[in-house]
Amino acid sequence: MLEKALKGSKRYYGWITVLLAVIGIGFGFYLWQLRFGLGITGMSRDVTWGFYIAQFTFLVGVAASAVMLVLPYYLHHYKAFGRITILGEFLAVASVSMCILFIFVDLGQPMRVLNVLLYPTPNSILFWDMIVLNGYLLLNIVIGWKVLEAERNAVPPPGWIKPLIYLSIPWAVSIHTVTAFLYCGLPGRGFWLTAILAPRFLASAFASGPSLLILLCLIVRKLTKFDPGKEQIQSLAKIVAYAISINVFFFLCEVFVVFYSNIPEHMDHFKYLFVGLHGHGVLVPWMWASLVLMAVSILLLVVPSTRQNESILAIACVTVFAGTWIDKGLGMISGGFVPSPLHHVNEYVPTLPELLIALGVWATGFFILTVLFKIAVTVKEEVAGVAS
Amino acid sequence: MKRSRRSFLQLAGVSALGLGLKPAAGLFAASGGHGRAPGEKVLKSEKALKAKQWAMVIDTRKFESAEDLEPLIEVCHKIHNVPSMKDKRHEIKWIWEEEFEHAFPTQELRFLPERIAQLPFLTLCNHCEHPPCVRACPTKATFKREDGIVLMDFHRCIGCRFCMAACPYGSRSFNFRDPRPFIEEINPDYPTRMKGVVEKCNFCAERLAVGRMPACVEASNGAITFGDLEDPESEVRALLRENYTIRRKQALGTGPAIYYIV
């Protein structure tokens, strides 16, 4: 089926070229980082994880969201989603690939990455994260590919794929839980030291991922002969509406605990993010923007008349995606490092080379996404052509 | 023909994956050790100083100003080839000074005696009894030795910096760039580091191995005492019996092995 990705319109090839160019630029800057070291980034002794790890954290969420299609379809036999589960699975493949790349570009000694396998260390959460991420990638490639192949040949998928599909459901939950455990098990970091971190990660995941998927469905409908379906998009929109509301609810739970308990080590990070600390507050406008975006999106998604209008729905999805991205892709990681455990306030701002490398990784993900979606949509078009 | 080529490619893909996983096969069997071959032995010098849990008692009453601390910091950084980075973001430090409010950010500060509020405190790796950094490291590049010292294997570290996120004392530094051009005079008896790895105080493990006390202890004119916490007869235990001491962020349960007499 891979050959389907090779035959496309001029627009398709134009887009691929743009992505390859961005990948090329990012790769060039990565070579520089490889030579010089991570000193070309904005990270410091106090803020040792930055934009890369934040993108990784956000994208784990996008990847996990495939389960929001798989679960209703396979466990509740919600037939409508059968039409687009493949899109969710292929989005997961692209997202997990980006996650793995973001961890890789963040390593100080990437040539030694196999040490994680050579000296496996089960007490390290990073070890488990490697297992769940790679496992999830593999599961989604195999499931997506086999189910699509079966659809193309008009035969039922092989029997052995079913257990893998069922396995992929808890596995999706595990990738974001384990990713949250990276942070929330660390004794000296008050911002992350909260049991609600994993649930909060999952809630924002099930908002950001499906909102991106809705946008992708709308694009697919516009550019190809395959229509993901109005009902499908509306069902996804309801999922996003619930998830983003729960996400904001969890956030408010956190705010209550932190400020009512009045414990300084927990409050200081929130103060830094939302009002600034000791005169430092580079993220303050971003964090308020994130809250406003999420609040607006809740309004647009909960009110039936706006949710059912697809143009407004598209705007709502953009606000959900932007709001959750700022929350996790900007605030979540820096916020945990500022102030430092010694209560020094050293801020973090990503550098241009760092942003370009990150953009290169995003472009790689969208390259994988484009190729996989092209294959899936072409097969769908062919099957529909034969049927009519 | 087409079908067989495809199944061949799929099989090849799975096999390649299997090859990649092979090292993990001995996974849980080998996870206890530190990658030493069976039968291989590490011989210790007869002169080596031994302990069950090395610990340090710093008598801050014997320090008056930052000037008193500088020689200790200097000798440590000199013998361990610690570079002096110009950019503060890339700073590497094994032992350094902090004000009380930063060394003990969870302690009440408002009504401290003036002497303590203004005194610079020596801060370094606490060589915790339950080190969070060791728990976090995905490659055992940082590990706790039988004598309680938390050590680094600079050659195994992949530079993921999970240990730095885990350390509640800011005791770890990362080589954001090649440190060698920033070392004034290289000490050939101790390795230099390369870019992309984490480093920190090692309680002078290389000196203990040949029967010498840590460099900062030697340079402290008796203000720092070093010894075995598990030995009731040791000098550190005697000091802990006679004086009220504090440790950094004790509530976290890490069990720091650095005690401060204030």
Side-chain angles (χ1 to χ4, degrees):
Chain A
M1 289 189 289
L2 213 50
E3 73 278 4
K4 304 259 181 273
L6 297 176
K7 225 160 54 191
S9 62
K10 265 195 184 144
R11 195 162 47 187
Y12 171 72
Y13 273 107
W15 172 240
I16 290 281
T17 314
V18 169
L19 288 176
L20 286 175
V22 178
I23 294 171
I25 293 168
F27 187 71
F29 277 93
Y30 179 68
L31 289 180
W32 180 25
Q33 179 185 299
L34 207 56
R35 243 173 61 126
F36 185 89
L38 281 161
I40 68 162
T41 70
M43 289 185 269
S44 64
R45 194 178 186 279
D46 274 357
V47 185
T48 46
W49 281 337
F51 204 67
Y52 300 148
I53 292 297
Q55 301 315 295
F56 147 75
T57 309
F58 176 73
L59 286 165
V60 172
V62 176
S65 72
V67 74
M68 285 292 112
L69 292 171
V70 172
L71 190 146
Y73 179 55
Y74 287 102
L75 287 191
H76 298 279
H77 304 287
Y78 177 58
K79 291 278 182 298
F81 273 174
R83 205 174 158 78
I84 53 168
T85 41
I86 185 70
L87 301 185
E89 283 153 356
F90 280 173
L91 175 60
V93 171
S95 308
V96 181
S97 308
M98 284 190 264
C99 292
I100 293 169
L101 277 176
F102 270 119
I103 293 191
F104 188 80
V105 299
D106 188 66
L107 292 179
Q109 282 293 333
M111 299 74 103
R112 297 182 188 164
V113 65
L114 285 177
N115 278 3
V116 179
L117 289 172
L118 288 169
Y119 310 103
T121 312
N123 51 273
S124 172
I125 301 297
L126 208 58
F127 168 77
W128 293 107
D129 215 30
M130 176 213 56
I131 290 181
V132 292
L133 284 178
N134 284 298
Y136 194 64
L137 178 64
L138 201 65
L139 276 175
N140 277 290
I141 291 177
V142 171
I143 294 169
W145 199 261
K146 278 289 163 193
V147 171
L148 188 67
E149 200 174 49
E151 188 178 337
R152 182 196 187 195
N153 298 335
V155 292
W160 55 263
I161 209 87
K162 259 290 165 63
L164 290 185
I165 290 170
Y166 292 138
L167 178 66
S168 79
I169 293 170
W171 204 290
V173 178
S174 84
I175 61 167
H176 222 12
T177 306
V178 173
T179 302
F181 284 2
L182 288 176
Y183 310 109
C184 69
L186 306 177
R189 308 277 176 185
F191 186 60
W192 301 325
L193 192 67
T194 165
I196 203 133
L197 201 69
R200 208 178 134 193
F201 273 19
L202 284 165
S204 90
F206 297 149
S208 61
S211 70
L212 177 59
L213 203 57
I214 290 176
L215 293 170
L216 290 171
C217 283
L218 293 173
I219 294 170
V220 163
R221 180 200 278 161
K222 199 155 194 177
L223 297 181
T224 72
K225 290 193 209 76
F226 172 65
D227 180 6
K230 205 168 169 61
E231 187 196 338
Q232 285 79 352
I233 289 176
Q234 281 304 313
S235 300
L236 274 174
K238 281 179 205 144
I239 291 173
V240 178
Y242 276 109
I244 189 71
S245 308
I246 295 171
N247 183 42
V248 172
F249 169 66
F250 284 169
F251 170 76
L252 293 175
C253 289
E254 183 68 36
V255 169
F256 168 78
V257 171
V258 164
F259 286 97
Y260 194 82
S261 70
N262 204 37
I263 301 174
E265 300 105 273
H266 293 260
M267 287 193 296
D268 289 338
H269 300 279
F270 276 87
K271 284 187 188 161
Y272 166 68
L273 287 177
F274 287 95
V275 294
L277 195 68
H278 304 317
H280 299 277
V282 73
L283 284 172
V284 172
W286 289 92
M287 295 316 288
W288 284 105
S290 163
L291 281 190
V292 170
L293 286 166
M294 289 198 273
V296 168
S297 71
I298 290 178
L299 272 178
L300 294 178
L301 286 164
V302 170
V303 177
S305 61
T306 47
R307 185 180 63 236
Q308 281 152 14
N309 178 328
E310 282 190 351
S311 324
I312 300 180
L313 177 62
I315 296 169
C317 287
V318 172
T319 55
V320 168
F321 195 77
T324 49
W325 179 79
I326 295 171
D327 180 32
K328 256 155 122 187
L330 277 183
M332 184 55 70
I333 303 307
S334 306
F337 283 108
V338 186
S340 76
L342 277 71
H343 216 281
H344 290 295
V345 183
N346 288 318
E347 286 192 290
Y348 160 78
V349 179
T351 60
L352 189 65
E354 192 176 5
L355 291 174
L356 289 172
I357 292 171
L359 202 64
V361 175
W362 273 95
T364 312
F366 272 89
F367 179 85
I368 296 171
L369 186 75
T370 307
V371 166
L372 291 177
F373 267 40
K374 175 78 169 66
I375 294 169
V377 167
T378 313
V379 168
K380 297 264 183 192
E381 284 173 341
E382 272 177 15
V383 172
V386 172
S388 63
Chain B
M1 194 59 210
K2 201 177 171 195
R3 180 146 273 289
S4 73
R5 187 183 63 188
R6 181 163 58 202
S7 36
F8 169 76
L9 283 173
Q10 282 172 347
L11 190 72
V14 171
S15 318
L17 203 85
L19 279 176
L21 282 176
K22 194 176 172 282
L27 203 155
F28 294 98
S31 62
H34 191 245
R36 202 173 290 151
E40 210 178 331
K41 256 189 177 170
V42 176
L43 295 176
K44 287 197 178 85
S45 155
E46 276 169 22
K47 287 188 288 180
L49 301 176
K50 295 181 191 76
K52 283 208 180 99
Q53 169 71 53
W54 286 115
M56 196 177 257
V57 179
I58 301 178
D59 191 344
T60 63
R61 295 169 303 186
K62 292 184 178 160
F63 293 115
E64 273 167 19
S65 66
E67 274 168 44
D68 296 341
L69 303 180
E70 265 157 31
L72 283 66
I73 298 170
E74 208 182 289
V75 68
C76 164
H77 286 180
K78 206 176 150 138
I79 63 167
H80 293 119
N81 293 322
V82 174
S84 32
M85 293 293 187
K86 286 176 203 91
D87 190 339
K88 199 174 169 286
R89 289 186 306 131
H90 302 161
E91 199 177 17
I92 312 267
K93 45 191 185 186
W94 285 28
I95 179 168
W96 71 102
E97 55 194 58
E98 290 281 352
E99 288 171 1
F100 185 85
E101 63 169 316
H102 295 297
F104 300 91
T106 48
Q107 237 95 352
E108 181 61 63
L109 180 75
R110 270 165 76 198
F111 306 115
L112 273 180
E114 209 177 315
R115 179 186 71 86
I116 293 172
Q118 282 166 7
L119 189 74
F121 280 71
L122 268 185
T123 41
L124 63 156
C125 172
N126 276 296
H127 296 275
C128 300
E129 283 169 60
H130 310 287
C133 55
V134 171
R135 224 178 300 150
C137 178
T139 62
K140 299 187 194 82
T142 191
F143 55 98
K144 193 169 173 64
R145 230 163 56 154
E146 301 105 1
D147 59 0
I149 297 182
V150 176
L151 271 186
M152 279 285 312
D153 182 342
F154 304 124
H155 300 277
R156 187 182 286 191
C157 175
I158 59 172
C160 70
R161 313 187 293 297
F162 200 3
C163 55
M164 297 181 80
C167 176
Y169 306 104
S171 295
R172 293 174 161 267
S173 307
F174 178 70
N175 287 284
F176 280 98
R177 57 185 303 180
D178 182 10
R180 283 161 194 149
F182 302 93
I183 304 170
E184 271 163 45
E185 194 187 335
I186 288 178
N187 168 20
D189 294 334
Y190 196 80
T192 57
R193 273 73 66 194
M194 67 195 303
K195 67 170 184 265
V197 298
V198 172
E199 60 181 82
K200 65 166 197 76
C201 156
N202 66 348
F203 255 4
C204 282
E206 83 284 2
R207 289 166 64 92
L208 295 174
V210 294
R212 298 177 71 184
M213 277 282 162
C216 60
V217 176
E218 234 171 48
S220 73
N221 295 322
I224 305 180
T225 311
F226 191 75
D228 188 358
L229 197 64
E230 300 293 322
D231 174 11
E233 304 304 313
S234 70
E235 217 181 322
V236 288
R237 283 288 291 273
L239 280 172
L240 294 178
R241 261 197 306 274
E242 291 152 18
N243 299 280
Y244 176 73
T245 50
I246 55 172
R247 291 188 283 172
R248 295 171 68 198
K249 295 191 180 178
Q250 221 173 325
L252 297 179
T254 53
I258 312 277
Y259 293 76
Y260 297 85
I261 304 176
V262 285

